[in-house]
Amino acid sequence: MNTLLEEKNILLCVSGGIAGYKSLELVRFFKKRGAKVRVVMSKEAERFVGALSFEALSNEVVLKEGSESWAGNGANHISYSTWADVCVIAPCTINTLCKFAYGIADNLLLSTLLACS
């Protein structure tokens, strides 16, 4: 079964908000259709859903505050942003949306988003 998502690299950016738990369903949806998924979480998102849940579903390291690595092929905002074919922000809080619109990169999630082409 060939789908539009097959072999696509999707970067899922999860900002803070109670709807963060629904992003787990997005990972399942994308993976089921053959996409590769990596996740970046804001510190606020971790208050609602754990990074371990995303890692279990995506089979990838979740990029979050304090986990960025520049050693070798480590997980960092540049490697994740250049890897992605598509970037999805879900949920997207108004705080994240406004900061993104004005180019404010004051956290790892926003730094990653702003580095995406």
Side-chain angles (χ1 to χ4, degrees):
M1 179 169 108
N2 194 352
T3 69
L4 293 173
L5 297 177
E6 197 167 337
E7 296 302 314
K8 294 293 183 196
N9 295 332
I10 299 175
L11 182 62
L12 178 60
C13 298
V14 182
S15 65
I18 190 64
Y21 76 94
K22 291 191 172 215
S23 297
L24 294 168
E25 294 175 30
L26 281 176
V27 174
R28 281 192 211 103
F29 176 86
F30 295 146
K31 294 282 289 182
K32 191 179 231 183
R33 283 151 184 81
K36 297 174 192 156
V37 181
R38 290 185 180 174
V39 177
V40 179
M41 295 180 72
S42 70
K43 185 171 58 174
E44 293 77 16
E46 290 185 82
R47 292 174 42 209
F48 297 103
V49 62
L52 187 58
S53 298
F54 286 107
E55 288 180 349
L57 291 173
S58 69
N59 296 317
E60 296 279 352
V61 174
V62 170
L63 189 57
K64 59 184 184 158
E65 295 292 332
S67 74
E68 193 168 29
S69 170
W70 292 93
N73 291 331
N76 59 67
H77 72 281
I78 300 298
S79 67
Y80 273 40
S81 64
T82 56
W83 170 86
D85 294 318
V86 173
C87 182
V88 176
I89 311 168
C92 185
T93 62
I94 193 67
N95 186 52
T96 296
L97 183 62
C98 288
K99 286 181 177 184
F100 179 66
Y102 284 96
I104 299 170
D106 65 352
N107 63 43
L108 186 60
L109 184 137
L110 287 161
S111 295
T112 306
L113 279 173
L114 290 167
C116 288
S117 56

mmCIF file of all heavy atoms in Angstrom, residues 44 84 95:
data_model
loop_
_atom_site.group_PDB
_atom_site.id
_atom_site.type_symbol
_atom_site.label_atom_id
_atom_site.label_comp_id
_atom_site.label_asym_id
_atom_site.label_seq_id
_atom_site.Cartn_x
_atom_site.Cartn_y
_atom_site.Cartn_z
ATOM 1 N N GLU A 44 7.087 22.779 28.668
ATOM 2 C CA GLU A 44 5.694 22.818 29.123
ATOM 3 C C GLU A 44 4.910 21.584 28.672
ATOM 4 O O GLU A 44 4.023 21.109 29.377
ATOM 5 C CB GLU A 44 5.002 24.094 28.621
ATOM 6 C CG GLU A 44 5.551 25.367 29.230
ATOM 7 C CD GLU A 44 6.888 25.814 28.622
ATOM 8 O OE1 GLU A 44 7.271 25.334 27.527
ATOM 9 O OE2 GLU A 44 7.551 26.643 29.249
ATOM 10 N N ALA A 84 14.083 16.631 8.591
ATOM 11 C CA ALA A 84 12.639 16.648 8.334
ATOM 12 C C ALA A 84 12.271 17.050 6.909
ATOM 13 O O ALA A 84 12.803 18.002 6.362
ATOM 14 C CB ALA A 84 11.953 17.592 9.314
ATOM 15 N N ASN A 95 1.187 31.035 22.481
ATOM 16 C CA ASN A 95 2.505 31.510 22.874
ATOM 17 C C ASN A 95 3.564 31.057 21.862
ATOM 18 O O ASN A 95 4.374 31.856 21.386
ATOM 19 C CB ASN A 95 2.846 31.004 24.280
ATOM 20 C CG ASN A 95 4.130 31.579 24.810
ATOM 21 O OD1 ASN A 95 4.320 32.788 24.820
ATOM 22 N ND2 ASN A 95 5.015 30.710 25.250
#
